[in-house]
Amino acid sequence: GLDVLLFSELGSRCVSVPLLMAGGAGTPSHVSDVLIGSAVQGVVASSIFALTQETPSTIRNHCEKVGIPMRRP
């Protein structure tokens, strides 16, 4: 999964720009966990789509179900 603790620490320390997380998401809950539990404002994903049945729509739908607002294309 994604390292929520690492990005929580980064966000609380020194950055004044949006944080994006890239790499490590294997399930929709990995994406929602890092968006809820840290200062990360976006997740870059690729392998999850190549190696699983997940799609950008399934990730968006999961995030919306757990209360994370999503932009729609």
Side-chain angles (χ1 to χ4, degrees), residues 37-59:
S38 72
V40 170
Q41 294 181 345
V43 175
V44 179
S46 62
S47 295
I48 190 172
F49 305 125
L51 302 175
T52 72
Q53 297 297 312
E54 301 299 340
T55 66
S57 291
T58 63
I59 302 294

Side-chain angles (χ1 to χ4, degrees), residues 3-15 19 37-39:
D3 193 340
V4 176
L5 181 59
L6 172 66
F7 281 89
S8 294
E9 289 293 318
L10 280 175
S12 66
R13 288 183 185 224
C14 58
V15 296
L19 287 175
S38 72

Side-chain angles (χ1 to χ4, degrees), residues 21-33:
M21 175 64 201
T27 67
S29 63
H30 289 159
V31 174
S32 61
D33 289 349

